[in-house]
Amino acid sequence: MADPRFFRAAGPFTVGDLAAATGAEIGGAANAALRLDDVAPLEAAGPHHLSFFSNVKYAEMLACSAAGAAFVHPAAAARAPAAMTLLLSANPYLSFARAAARFHPAPRRPVGIAASAVIDSSALLGPAVSIGHHVVVEAGAEIGAQTEIGHNCVIGPGVVIGRDCVIGANVTLSHCVLGDRVRLFPGVRIGQDGFGFAPDPAGHVKIPQLGRVLIGNDVEIGANSTIDRGAGPDTIIGAGSMIDNLVQIGHNVVLGRGCILAAQVGVSGSTKLGDFVALGGQVGLAGHLSIGTGAQLVAQSGVMRDVPPGTVYAGTPAVPRRQWLRQTAILDRLATKKDK
Amino acid sequence: MADPRFFRAAGPFTVGDLAAATGAEIGGAANAALRLDDVAPLEAAGPHHLSFFSNVKYAEMLACSAAGAAFVHPAAAARAPAAMTLLLSANPYLSFARAAARFHPAPRRPVGIAASAVIDSSALLGPAVSIGHHVVVEAGAEIGAQTEIGHNCVIGPGVVIGRDCVIGANVTLSHCVLGDRVRLFPGVRIGQDGFGFAPDPAGHVKIPQLGRVLIGNDVEIGANSTIDRGAGPDTIIGAGSMIDNLVQIGHNVVLGRGCILAAQVGVSGSTKLGDFVALGGQVGLAGHLSIGTGAQLVAQSGVMRDVPPGTVYAGTPAVPRRQWLRQTAILDRLATKKDK
Amino acid sequence: MADPRFFRAAGPFTVGDLAAATGAEIGGAANAALRLDDVAPLEAAGPHHLSFFSNVKYAEMLACSAAGAAFVHPAAAARAPAAMTLLLSANPYLSFARAAARFHPAPRRPVGIAASAVIDSSALLGPAVSIGHHVVVEAGAEIGAQTEIGHNCVIGPGVVIGRDCVIGANVTLSHCVLGDRVRLFPGVRIGQDGFGFAPDPAGHVKIPQLGRVLIGNDVEIGANSTIDRGAGPDTIIGAGSMIDNLVQIGHNVVLGRGCILAAQVGVSGSTKLGDFVALGGQVGLAGHLSIGTGAQLVAQSGVMRDVPPGTVYAGTPAVPRRQWLRQTAILDRLATKKDK
């Protein structure tokens, strides 16, 4: 289904292959030998495509779909057409994600070092790295095995990058240590000075920023996002965190494992997030806060106080979402009354 | 008027030339042969400068201006000094824009391919292209006639760029198809993966992003803005849309024709905008919304529901602007009362 | 204390050296000859480290600290351990900033011009400049003495950069004049077209942007921030202003001296800030406003009207902070009442 100009599916795989790979049980028409050529959404899929159903809003699409096979929850199996082979899964979207990654593994650049790259003689490059055109790798930097550095990147002195990382084009790194399988999208800036200075009418005086940025395994950071290094302590991004585009992370910030930050979020200096915190788009966190594990912030919230674990907050200043919904409802009612 | 270090006016043109080019009627002192050397604002213009008057706030400036000629609305002609030649237009600002573009056409880089550019042998370059220093053009990319690629850009595999485009420096493109006369400012990132994954405590699982970014003719995209490619469907930017700096466009978003997005706007995944939608600075749109043709959102609005065509909304969550004004007024009154 | 992989302290210095350099008086254990090897926070410092105490919240840390010396306010001297040598200062944080800069002066790149840099023959380079790999310096540009241009930067035609500036990697400059000691972080974009056009359903018509960006001495601009050039007047950033990451400054904006703009702030076209204005993160200012000297805006404020000098405003639309606190308190109370 995808434009062959840009994408080429691996495979084909059989239903049996994918059931084995994802732990799904085969149901429905139960054709384990069915050849699947690619993934596709329910409405566009044909008899050799794999799809999924995870949102009851799309029940009609499932009923009408010509997909050869689809991941569905066992409880929804009856909604599928009789001719469809089902891959029964407690989490069809997650199973689909795993199967789709088999059809479309992240493409890798050819191994090798571009002639125009400038690599300091003291830098250490692991086996099978790929270094793009016009890259600069400075003194003492280390790049792990199978890692790929995009064109026009600058890898500063001493920077450490783990193995199997993919660094997009035009990225700038300094004062940082990256784990394995980290993915940075184009234009990311990591490790520059934090925004630290002593204000003074005679001229603000910068405080030397003496920390680093530490990035855990399996972290993804979106295009043109910026992460400042610590002022003394380090700035830390926990393993498995997903950060969208144009996000700002200030100095000394700590993210736990598996945090999700949507686009244009800003986290001010020294704020700490527990594990699996989820921040909606354009959320802003003041400095020196603690956001508990599993807390969620609705998009555009402005957070000025600590947020307890497992809660959902919204608004500026952020309050529990239920309270925010009441606030907006009562304000709306007052404004409507006034009109009469 | 403009610093000759950076700008050089074409011309000179006569009032008659510019009246013909813009369809304006000549009035006032009516000197059609008057030589005009450049454009200038009313307060700074001299007898060989062209200016315009479109805002009654500046009526006094018009009355005192030494501009040789100015675009004015016929209804405002009487406010101009007697010595001024008038170019009468129903839309003086628009007419001025057209005339100013004659004095200051966008400067073009010299045609040719920089020696340091790395162009894959399978890429197709149209006639009279300009490829800057340290550019990378990857396999199968196509660049249209007279298009200019700024220094240090990376044009990914298969990317298609139309004719007469101007791509600023340090831009990164992948998985996208651009129309003609598209202008991208420095640091734009187009076509990277959308923010799509199945959340899982054992490690979020990425969904392969198999769509493209399609950009219509005459689109302009500001510095450091980011546009993710579709997840399966495409991300689409309608012809003639104007996008300011640091804007984020998520996967599967569709913009109609002539949309205007001010700086730092964020549009979440799968939201669709009709034609000529205008979003003020820092507006955030949630995902999967429909914003009707001609709708306007006041700056910093946070939009959580569909917006009907032709309406003006404001606030977070966004409501009709009139309702928002009432909300802010009543809240202010309540807060003031409380003080007594 | 800092990771030697990335940082190397100058020095050592004695307490006497640093007292002389900062004008502090020596108190406490008063060991002027004490050798100090580096700076460190109170809780981590040892007998040859210099620290500071400026926030009563950390009084216990001071009391327990093993730091050899620390800057403290004279009124707090009694809280320090007897063995600590004190550097008494009316502004301990500012004094510490000055001392820390002695230990950690900004590292400088080696002087010289990289072989891969492309420098137009008409460009003027001052003595002792450092030009990184794959830099492009275009016709007529001027770069002052001891200034450093990071790798992969593009310095446009006619651009003027003062002396002792540090331009980070992957920066793009055009149509601008920079003072001395300006620091630009990676990915900054300065001087591109402002967002100016005459809207028209038949196709918005761009207005040529004929102004410049003028940047005063000692200005710092954060990663991936964008500053558009003026439309006719200039965009001006006053001396000593500190601008954080991902900030947007529109055309014709004027910042006074010493302004502080936190991350993700957006300033719309033609708005003027006085001296020492401080804008919290994600603040948005509408166009054509006047923000008085010393005014402060709380994070995420949306400013639609002028702000008087010396005031603190908050909220959207922004009102005096006290009024905003009342608004949020009363709204919260109404919403809570409704619950009963």
Side-chain angles (χ1 to χ4, degrees), chain B:
Chain B
M1 308 302 304
D3 185 343
R5 186 169 188 95
F6 299 111
F7 304 96
R8 201 151 315 214
F13 301 105
T14 65
V15 165
D17 292 337
L18 297 171
T22 62
E25 207 175 312
I26 302 178
N31 181 359
L34 178 67
R35 188 193 85 230
L36 296 172
D37 294 330
D38 205 344
V39 295
L42 285 170
E43 70 276 21
H48 291 283
H49 288 137
L50 173 65
S51 197
F52 72 99
F53 171 74
S54 70
N55 184 338
V56 57
K57 220 168 94 177
Y58 300 119
E60 200 152 329
M61 278 188 186
L62 174 64
C64 304
S65 176
F71 286 97
V72 300
H73 193 279
R79 296 168 181 268
M84 192 182 282
T85 289
L86 303 182
L87 286 149
L88 301 168
S89 160
N91 189 338
Y93 188 54
L94 181 60
S95 298
F96 175 77
R98 294 203 169 107
R102 303 223 144 200
F103 284 103
H104 294 279
R108 301 304 303 258
R109 305 189 59 78
V111 166
I113 299 174
S116 59
V118 178
I119 318 269
D120 190 274
S121 62
S122 66
L124 296 177
L125 306 189
V129 298
S130 170
I131 309 285
H133 300 292
H134 317 125
V135 164
V136 180
V137 180
E138 304 219 58
E142 298 181 21
I143 298 177
Q146 286 103 244
T147 279
E148 168 189 334
I149 309 290
H151 307 305
N152 295 355
C153 285
V154 176
I155 312 300
V159 165
V160 178
I161 304 177
R163 44 190 303 150
D164 296 304
C165 295
V166 178
I167 311 300
N170 295 90
V171 164
T172 313
L173 304 183
S174 75
H175 304 87
C176 60
V177 177
L178 278 59
D180 300 330
R181 296 173 305 279
V182 171
R183 295 174 302 275
L184 305 183
F185 286 91
V188 164
R189 314 292 170 202
I190 294 182
Q192 55 282 339
D193 284 17
F195 199 56
F197 52 89
D200 188 28
H204 309 312
V205 179
K206 265 182 88 85
I207 308 280
Q209 302 287 302
L210 303 173
R212 306 164 296 176
V213 178
L214 306 181
I215 297 194
N217 296 334
D218 301 298
V219 166
E220 176 171 320
I221 299 175
N224 283 348
S225 286
T226 57
I227 303 184
D228 287 347
R229 72 173 181 267
D234 296 311
T235 303
I236 301 174
I237 308 297
S241 290
M242 306 290 280
I243 297 177
D244 202 350
N245 298 343
L246 292 169
V247 167
Q248 152 70 0
I249 307 273
H251 56 186
N252 311 343
V253 166
V254 176
L255 267 62
R257 285 177 307 120
C259 290
I260 298 173
L261 276 60
Q264 297 176 319
V265 158
V267 184
S268 302
S270 302
T271 281
K272 316 276 183 246
L273 280 63
D275 298 334
F276 302 109
V277 169
L279 306 181
Q282 298 184 335
V283 163
L285 307 185
H288 300 274
L289 300 181
S290 169
I291 311 296
T293 287
Q296 297 182 30
L297 271 297
V298 170
Q300 275 198 343
S301 306
V303 186
M304 304 172 70
R305 273 193 284 250
D306 292 351
V307 175
T311 55
V312 184
Y313 272 54
T316 302
V319 293
R321 180 170 54 177
R322 211 177 142 190
Q323 177 73 352
W324 177 73
L325 290 172
R326 279 191 210 115
Q327 288 178 1
T328 60
I330 201 159
L331 187 57
D332 206 57
R333 196 158 48 239
L334 287 169
T336 307
K337 243 191 247 163
K338 179 184 161 259
D339 203 29
K340 287 172 193 170

Side-chain angles (χ1 to χ4, degrees), chain A residues 147-182:
Chain A
T147 279
E148 167 190 335
I149 309 290
H151 308 304
N152 295 355
C153 286
V154 176
I155 311 301
V159 164
V160 178
I161 305 179
R163 43 189 305 150
D164 297 304
C165 295
V166 178
I167 311 299
N170 295 92
V171 164
T172 313
L173 304 182
S174 74
H175 305 87
C176 59
V177 177
L178 278 58
D180 298 332
R181 299 173 302 281
V182 171

Side-chain angles (χ1 to χ4, degrees), chain A residues 116 118 134-136 138 140 142 152-154 157-160 170-172 175-177 187 189 192-193 195 197-198 200-201 204-212 224-226 228-229 246-248 264-266 282-284 300-302 304 316-317 319 322-323 326-327 330-331 333-334, chain C residues 2-3 5-7 38-39 41 57-58 91 93-94 96-98 100-102 104 107 109 116 133-134 151-152 169-170 183 185-189 220 223-224 240-246 257-264 276 282 298-300 324 328 331-336 338-339:
Chain A
S116 58
V118 178
H134 317 125
V135 165
V136 180
E138 305 218 57
E142 298 181 22
N152 295 355
C153 286
V154 176
V159 164
V160 178
N170 295 92
V171 164
T172 313
H175 305 87
C176 59
V177 177
R189 314 292 169 201
Q192 55 282 338
D193 284 18
F195 198 57
F197 51 88
D200 188 27
H204 309 312
V205 179
K206 264 182 89 83
I207 308 280
Q209 302 288 301
L210 303 172
R212 305 164 298 175
N224 283 348
S225 286
T226 58
D228 288 345
R229 73 172 182 265
L246 292 169
V247 168
Q248 152 71 1
Q264 296 177 319
V265 158
Q282 298 184 334
V283 163
Q300 276 198 342
S301 306
M304 303 172 71
T316 303
V319 293
R322 211 177 142 189
Q323 176 73 353
R326 279 191 211 113
Q327 287 178 3
I330 201 160
L331 188 56
R333 196 159 46 241
L334 286 169
Chain C
D3 185 344
R5 186 171 188 92
F6 299 111
F7 304 96
D38 204 346
V39 295
K57 220 168 92 179
Y58 300 118
N91 189 338
Y93 188 54
L94 180 60
F96 174 77
R98 293 203 170 107
R102 302 223 145 200
H104 295 279
R109 306 189 59 77
S116 59
H133 300 292
H134 317 125
H151 307 305
N152 295 355
N170 296 92
R183 296 173 302 275
F185 286 91
V188 164
R189 314 293 169 201
E220 176 171 320
N224 283 348
S241 290
M242 306 290 278
I243 297 178
D244 202 350
N245 298 343
L246 292 169
R257 284 177 308 119
C259 289
I260 298 173
L261 277 59
Q264 297 176 318
F276 302 107
Q282 298 184 335
V298 171
Q300 275 197 345
W324 177 73
T328 60
L331 188 57
D332 206 56
R333 196 159 48 239
L334 286 169
T336 307
K338 178 184 161 262
D339 203 28

Side-chain angles (χ1 to χ4, degrees), chain A residues 239-266:
Chain A
S241 290
M242 307 291 279
I243 297 178
D244 202 352
N245 299 342
L246 292 169
V247 168
Q248 152 71 1
I249 308 273
H251 55 187
N252 310 343
V253 165
V254 176
L255 266 62
R257 284 177 309 121
C259 289
I260 299 173
L261 276 60
Q264 296 177 319
V265 158

